[in-house]
Amino acid sequence: MVSLSRLSVYHLDVLTVWFCLLSVTQAYVDEDTEPPRSRPKPTTAPIPKTVIIDEDTEPPRSRPKPTTAPIPKTVIIDEDIEPPRSRPKPTTTSIPITVINQCFAQVDVVFLLDSSTSVGNDNYDKMKSFVTKFLHYANIDNGDVRVGLLSYSTRVTVEFKLNSKSTKADVFDAVNALPWRYGSTNTADGLKTMHEELFNVANGDRPGVPNICIIMTDDVSNINYRRTIPEADVAKKKGIRIYAVGIALKDLKEVNGIASEPASTNVFAVNTFDELERLDVKLFTATCSVSTPTTRPLPTGYDVVLVLDSSVPQETYQFMKDYAKNLVNGFDVENEDYRIGLLRYSTDADIQFDLDKYSTREALKLAIDKTTYKPGNTDTAKAINSVRENMFIEPRGDRNFARNLIFLLTGQDKSKDTFDAWAAAQKAEAEGINLFTVGINLNDTMELDELSTHPIETYRQLINTDQPPAELNLTLSEILGRIDDNVEPERPRKGPTGENPGKILSLSF
């Protein structure tokens, strides 16, 4: 594979000049007996030509032309262009994410990234982002975890070996700098290079340390496709555990054959590249089962977002802020056990500060004091969805190992749409976010009862503004005493027709 790549690059300039003089078109050479096949011209920028040797090619298939010309964001290296093609939605379900403790272990891990034309430059960036997010809590700097990476399209490129990068910063820099090398989908040679070259003692593979390969692809093989699963079988016989991430795949037969058995725990199917955002925790957890554990304690903590209902009267909102400040007194922020963020809502959902903004309780209480009153409608669904989508994310200070909790304080019996609010709460639970609720001066608790995570005795608290301070302090102590490390599972709520409004949210893998 290496010698072929060098041969193509070496002859490129000479061939180009010779062909220009003769005004002929460069031919594609195929070692297989299959006759040359026509290639539809893409609408993208002119493509440099290379000599392609195809060992085992799939019969020709038509490709729809793209309607727009993609504009690459990073360096693009052309090896064998195929025009972009539409992607059918997969028949598999999406993966619910549960927030769990991160695992630290000794492991040699190799990423195998599909860089073919169908992926596209923007989506390739999302794959790269997944790799760095996955490795965020890995112990690379102290040598517990070694990382190698290769990309493949028509050809395979070893981006870096297991002994090439010794720090997390170096690994992340190398991943972020990867160019998109578009072409066909030669998964077979990617797998072969992985088990022959990457998992090799000379290239950093360590005897006695588990070997893990994570392959990410959005298509079935279309070069050497008969060799794809046999190459994966060779790797597995060598003791390499293979996890396969299939993105927007209509047919999972090939990735099921590539992955180690059972496929139910080693294949991860997502509908879109955007869904990679929250897949890293689940995949990291799976790799822990084959890793060599270390003696380091697992990190723990709580990431808490206070959600204050500003659709109530102004004096009730001030009471709510005071109650929230007293809650903060019970959170050990200074030692990083807790991180606290705050969102205010009425018609709109407005983030007041992120989880990593303040590192002391006094600073948090001052920030809560500065939160202004903004009346409007009671859109509880929008508030919960905003917290889940925009606050419990790493750029906003969320920690993957920490338990995610919403403390929602409201003074309204009903929100703008009860069923939407319940569906939002159910979707939050599906992603490992539990909801503590505090109802203030409520006459009807039906909506709040279903909004809360259950058991309701643990997660829902009712108070009144005219309660004596001693009683209010007691409720605070009760709430704080109920916080533990047990993440409650998703609980179905009823929809407007009596059915579960979150059916699409509770799909299982």
Side-chain angles (χ1 to χ4, degrees):
M1 177 60 64
V2 175
S3 62
L4 172 59
S5 176
R6 289 176 179 170
L7 178 62
S8 298
V9 173
Y10 177 78
H11 286 84
L12 179 60
D13 291 339
V14 178
L15 289 173
T16 302
V17 172
W18 185 64
F19 287 152
C20 286
L21 292 173
L22 295 178
S23 300
V24 298
T25 303
Q26 184 177 10
Y28 284 82
V29 180
D30 189 346
E31 288 182 350
D32 206 345
T33 56
E34 182 178 335
R37 54 188 176 187
S38 60
R39 302 281 188 178
K41 294 182 178 179
T43 58
T44 55
I47 302 158
K49 299 174 181 178
T50 58
V51 177
I52 304 300
I53 299 177
D54 187 350
E55 296 176 357
D56 180 17
T57 191
E58 191 178 34
R61 52 184 174 185
S62 60
R63 307 287 193 191
K65 293 183 178 179
T67 57
T68 58
I71 301 173
K73 292 183 179 178
T74 59
V75 178
I76 298 178
I77 299 175
D78 175 21
E79 294 180 345
D80 182 18
I81 186 66
E82 293 178 350
R85 52 183 180 262
S86 61
R87 287 297 182 195
K89 293 183 178 180
T91 56
T92 56
T93 62
S94 58
I95 301 171
I97 299 300
T98 302
V99 177
I100 57 160
N101 284 333
Q102 203 59 268
C103 179
F104 292 95
Q106 272 201 326
V107 65
D108 292 341
V109 58
V110 170
F111 289 88
L112 187 53
L113 303 187
D114 177 358
S115 179
S116 60
T117 301
S118 57
V119 172
N121 190 55
D122 288 346
N123 288 331
Y124 194 61
D125 284 342
K126 292 173 185 176
M127 293 169 74
K128 289 155 55 177
S129 177
F130 171 86
V131 172
T132 56
K133 193 165 184 282
F134 176 89
L135 294 171
H136 185 76
Y137 290 102
N139 286 320
I140 297 173
D141 291 28
N142 68 2
D144 281 350
V145 178
R146 290 187 179 182
V147 182
L149 190 146
L150 58 84
S151 62
Y152 71 95
S153 53
T154 302
R155 294 182 179 84
V156 180
T157 302
V158 176
E159 306 291 358
F160 55 89
K161 301 171 184 177
L162 289 164
N163 56 1
S164 297
K165 311 296 178 184
S166 57
T167 69
K168 187 179 295 183
D170 288 344
V171 171
F172 284 14
D173 286 346
V175 172
N176 291 331
L178 293 178
W180 172 44
R181 296 180 170 89
Y182 55 96
S184 299
T185 309
N186 190 0
T187 311
D189 279 350
L191 290 164
K192 181 178 181 179
T193 305
M194 175 269 294
H195 70 74
E196 288 186 352
E197 295 186 31
L198 271 294
F199 285 116
N200 185 303
V201 174
N203 292 326
D205 185 35
R206 295 171 290 179
V209 174
N211 292 160
I212 291 175
C213 171
I214 298 172
I215 180 171
M216 303 177 69
T217 183
D218 79 329
D219 199 6
V220 295
S221 307
N222 53 30
I223 290 182
N224 303 323
Y225 66 95
R226 294 185 186 92
R227 287 179 34 228
T228 298
I229 293 178
E231 289 292 351
D233 290 340
V234 172
K236 287 179 280 189
K237 287 177 182 178
K238 292 180 177 180
I240 301 168
R241 183 72 170 264
I242 302 178
Y243 295 89
V245 179
I247 307 156
L249 291 178
K250 183 178 180 180
D251 186 351
L252 292 175
K253 182 179 179 181
E254 185 174 79
V255 292
N256 285 341
I258 291 172
S260 296
E261 295 181 353
S264 60
T265 58
N266 296 316
V267 174
F268 300 83
V270 293
N271 294 312
T272 67
F273 283 88
D274 290 331
E275 289 182 23
L276 293 174
E277 175 67 23
R278 288 186 174 269
L279 180 59
D280 60 307
V281 174
K282 186 178 181 71
L283 184 52
F284 201 116
T285 309
T287 66
C288 290
S289 64
V290 295
S291 302
T292 303
T294 69
T295 58
R296 290 182 187 82
L298 296 174
T300 59
Y302 305 92
D303 291 341
V304 176
V305 174
L306 304 173
V307 179
L308 306 186
D309 177 3
S310 185
S311 69
V312 296
Q314 189 165 1
E315 59 272 16
T316 305
Y317 187 69
Q318 182 58 50
F319 173 88
M320 196 179 292
K321 287 166 59 177
D322 293 338
Y323 196 85
K325 288 190 293 181
N326 287 327
L327 267 176
V328 166
N329 280 330
F331 297 146
D332 188 357
V333 178
E334 287 77 6
N335 290 323
E336 281 281 295
D337 287 346
Y338 284 84
R339 285 187 177 182
I340 311 297
L342 190 145
L343 178 139
R344 176 197 63 200
Y345 77 97
S346 52
T347 303
D348 299 315
D350 303 311
I351 296 173
Q352 302 300 297
F353 53 84
D354 292 326
L355 289 160
D356 57 357
K357 178 69 173 177
Y358 300 108
S359 57
T360 69
R361 278 171 275 200
E362 288 306 314
L364 281 165
K365 289 188 287 185
L366 287 173
I368 293 172
D369 266 334
K370 292 178 182 178
T371 302
T372 58
Y373 174 65
K374 184 180 179 181
N377 296 325
T378 312
D379 199 338
T380 305
K382 181 184 288 184
I384 296 172
N385 286 331
S386 182
V387 171
R388 178 181 56 80
E389 295 171 358
N390 303 316
M391 296 193 73
F392 285 126
I393 56 176
E394 187 177 345
R396 297 276 193 171
D398 180 51
R399 299 168 294 178
N400 279 342
F401 61 82
R403 186 181 177 195
N404 291 161
L405 298 172
I406 290 175
F407 276 74
L408 187 143
L409 284 70
T410 181
Q412 301 287 9
D413 293 348
K414 304 284 186 183
S415 65
K416 178 182 176 182
D417 190 305
T418 294
F419 297 112
D420 283 352
W422 289 350
Q426 182 174 332
K427 193 166 187 176
E429 286 180 350
E431 296 186 7
I433 304 167
N434 287 156
L435 288 88
F436 282 88
T437 61
V438 178
I440 304 169
N441 299 335
L442 298 189
N443 296 311
D444 185 348
T445 66
M446 182 194 71
E447 180 174 317
L448 193 71
D449 291 349
E450 283 300 298
L451 194 70
S452 302
T453 296
H454 281 195
I456 196 170
E457 297 80 10
T458 299
Y459 288 90
R460 190 215 63 185
Q461 186 76 46
L462 301 177
I463 60 175
N464 293 299
T465 54
D466 58 359
Q467 279 183 266
E471 290 185 12
L472 291 174
N473 288 336
L474 180 61
T475 65
L476 287 166
S477 299
E478 290 174 349
I479 292 174
L480 293 170
R482 296 168 188 164
I483 300 174
D484 56 29
D485 294 330
N486 297 318
V487 179
E488 300 296 338
E490 175 189 0
R491 179 176 58 84
R493 275 81 164 170
K494 290 183 179 180
T497 61
E499 296 182 352
N500 175 9
K503 280 185 178 179
I504 60 171
L505 311 175
S506 58
L507 297 171
S508 59
F509 177 66

